[in-house]
Amino acid sequence: MRMSELSRLSGVPVATIKYYLREGLLPAGRQLSATQAEYDEQHLRRLRLIRALIGVRGLSVSTTRELLGALSEYTGDTHRLLGLALGAIRLTEDTEQDVPELADVEALVTELDWNVHKAAPARATLAETLASLRTLGVPLDRHTLLPYARLAERTAVLDLDQLQGIEDPLEAAERALLLTVLLEPALMALRRMAQENESARRHAEAGD
Amino acid sequence: MRMSELSRLSGVPVATIKYYLREGLLPAGRQLSATQAEYDEQHLRRLRLIRALIGVRGLSVSTTRELLGALSEYTGDTHRLLGLALGAIRLTEDTEQDVPELADVEALVTELDWNVHKAAPARATLAETLASLRTLGVPLDRHTLLPYARLAERTAVLDLDQLQGIEDPLEAAERALLLTVLLEPALMALRRMAQENESARRHAEAGD
């Protein structure tokens, strides 16, 4: 298909597609002439994925490029890819700080007996968030975090279950990315709805 | 204290403090003369909260203003405030769409027997995320979402437990906001670490 058709099917404006091509997010099409190129289903699929990562999750162009790079390099090994995807994403855009809470995170990981890479960005994200909460007068100790971590463990089992039985490695890898990155707003929305419900329940019990 | 002292203690530049004053995020100080004002501990605390909401959670100035407005209006009723905080925040910046998944969310809420306001933005966030996943070829049905929702339910119990026993209504209200908004990156980081661990576990079991 031509770029105009790609634009129509994906809903992404031609100027934006050209930008993604320049930024290396989208591979070049097959050149038909000096001014025309041909695109296929793979381009359409990739374009939808880019829109989801940038539009829905608000990732930066450079983070998206890293993620897509990881996706195309390790399609044969889903577990490896998932590790890479987890490694490639920073949840907050803060510069890395050597906060004292990194030691708390290490102690928590040890207590949980989790196998998590020393350099996993999620460790820093967790430590920075705990540091922010401490600054705000709401320190959360390991004792408080532990039951949250146990629930995260069970969430991860659900996540990984959904990758079982997918034969096509590209499809499995893509799904790993989608479930890692895109499911986050859905899970946070479920938490907020559950908080509202739990708050209402306790309110009713209190008799007012 | 003077503004320079407020800046030193909070680590927020004077120009940024003036911006927050103009935007109505921070209440004006007590005017000492035409050019000087006096600030107190409440200003410092509020300033730290603003930095956390904007800096750590990446909220917009207008969303932060809404949240802080809710905080100052309903300090007497924590449950009411929590509902407001949940209502005031949109997780994604997308314009509201009438996606068909809103009906799925309604069915899920009914099945869970959750008490969640019809207009709760979390409903739209969940529906929009499900719509994005469907567009990307990963439709998640109610059957798949249900165990995630049950885990969210248990997370919410932990969240609300942390508000128990706080006597000062302002403190309880602030903590509700912090736990709603600021804990999110920490919970998502725990999920990613748990995914990495679960992936490694299955990898090891598979024998390679």
Side-chain angles (χ1 to χ4, degrees), chain A residues 3-196:
Chain A
M3 191 183 281
S4 55
E5 179 73 358
L6 186 63
S7 168
R8 196 182 62 76
L9 288 175
S10 64
V12 178
V14 166
T16 308
I17 295 177
K18 286 183 174 170
Y19 172 67
Y20 292 156
L21 285 167
R22 277 199 309 277
E23 289 289 329
L25 295 182
L26 193 66
R30 195 167 59 88
Q31 211 66 31
L32 295 180
S33 72
T35 56
Q36 286 205 320
E38 174 83 2
Y39 301 90
D40 59 23
E41 282 299 318
Q42 293 296 323
H43 288 93
L44 183 58
R45 191 165 169 176
R46 171 65 67 105
L47 200 47
R48 286 193 174 132
L49 187 58
I50 294 168
R51 291 307 281 180
L53 294 171
I54 294 179
V56 181
R57 282 300 288 132
L59 297 187
S60 68
V61 165
S62 63
T63 303
T64 303
R65 193 192 295 116
E66 269 187 81
L67 272 177
L68 294 173
L71 185 67
S72 55
E73 275 173 41
Y74 294 92
T75 49
D77 181 342
T78 308
H79 291 298
R80 179 82 190 270
L81 173 80
L82 184 59
L84 274 167
L86 294 163
I89 310 166
R90 297 263 311 154
L91 288 166
T92 56
E93 296 292 318
D94 291 344
T95 50
E96 221 150 323
Q97 293 169 327
D98 199 15
V99 293
E101 276 76 6
L102 274 171
D104 297 335
V105 172
E106 175 62 34
L108 179 70
V109 168
T110 304
E111 189 164 345
L112 288 160
D113 196 25
W114 277 2
N115 189 340
V116 177
H117 200 276
K118 281 277 173 208
R123 284 175 181 258
T125 303
L126 180 57
E128 283 159 22
T129 308
L130 295 178
S132 295
L133 286 167
R134 173 173 45 82
T135 310
L136 289 159
V138 194
L140 291 184
D141 56 18
R142 223 156 70 219
H143 178 72
T144 311
L145 279 175
L146 203 62
Y148 283 108
R150 292 294 178 203
L151 292 174
E153 224 165 33
R154 296 179 52 183
T155 305
V157 170
L158 296 178
D159 292 335
L160 272 288
D161 280 351
Q162 294 189 61
L163 301 179
Q164 301 290 70
I166 302 174
E167 297 295 328
D168 177 43
L170 182 65
E171 200 189 326
E174 258 190 33
R175 190 167 292 209
L177 266 185
L178 292 174
L179 288 176
T180 307
V181 180
L182 288 182
L183 206 54
E184 288 187 353
L187 296 184
M188 291 299 93
L190 282 174
R191 173 172 172 247
R192 292 196 179 190
M193 290 160 67
Q195 284 175 333
E196 187 180 335

Side-chain angles (χ1 to χ4, degrees), chain A residues 188-190 192-193, chain B residues 86 89 91 105 119-127:
Chain A
M188 291 299 93
L190 282 174
R192 292 196 179 190
M193 290 160 67
Chain B
L86 294 164
I89 310 166
L91 287 166
V105 172
R123 285 177 182 256
T125 303
L126 181 57

